[in-house]
Amino acid sequence: MADRPQSFEVALRELRRIVESLDQEELTLDQALALFEQGVSHLRGASRLLDAAHGRVEELIEGAAEDLSLIGFEVEAEGAEGNGGAASAEGEVAEEDT
C-alpha cells in the first residue's frame, strides 16, 4: 500500500482484486504471499478509516445530544380517543377549536 491514505472504497476494491487473484490464478508461493501481504495492508488501512468514521459519528451524536433538549410539542392525532383533538407530548388530548 502506498504511503498516502486511500479511501475506504479503494481499499475494498483492492481487497476484492487480491482475493480474485488468489482464487483464480496459478501463483507461486512467493506471489501468493506478496498478494496476501498487500491484502493485509489494505485491510489495516480500511480498518483505520472505519475506526475514524466511527469516532466521528460518536462525536456528532454526543454533540447533538448536548445541543438538543426536549421541548414540549403537540402532535395532531386524527380522531384521538374519538374527539378529533390533538395529543400533546404528555399524551393528553386537547379539544380542537371550532
Side-chain angles (χ1 to χ4, degrees):
M1 189 163 82
D3 291 330
R4 63 179 171 77
Q6 21 178 343
S7 72
F8 180 77
E9 294 77 15
V10 169
L12 282 182
R13 192 174 325 124
E14 288 300 309
L15 282 167
R16 286 186 185 116
R17 182 192 59 78
I18 289 168
V19 168
E20 287 174 6
S21 295
L22 288 170
D23 283 343
Q24 296 175 0
E25 295 181 15
E26 293 293 322
L27 302 170
T28 65
L29 179 60
D30 288 338
Q31 291 170 324
L33 285 173
L35 282 173
F36 184 78
E37 186 176 359
Q38 290 174 19
V40 168
S41 179
H42 288 293
L43 182 61
R44 286 180 179 152
S47 180
R48 279 191 300 272
L49 291 168
L50 282 176
D51 288 343
H54 183 261
R56 180 74 176 125
V57 168
E58 285 183 341
E59 288 174 10
L60 290 169
I61 289 171
E62 288 172 7
E66 293 171 3
D67 293 341
L68 300 177
S69 62
L70 184 59
I71 301 170
F73 61 93
E74 291 190 6
V75 178
E76 291 290 325
E78 291 184 33
E81 294 186 21
N83 67 0
S88 71
E90 294 78 30
E92 301 170 358
V93 176
E95 295 293 322
E96 278 188 346
D97 293 332
T98 54

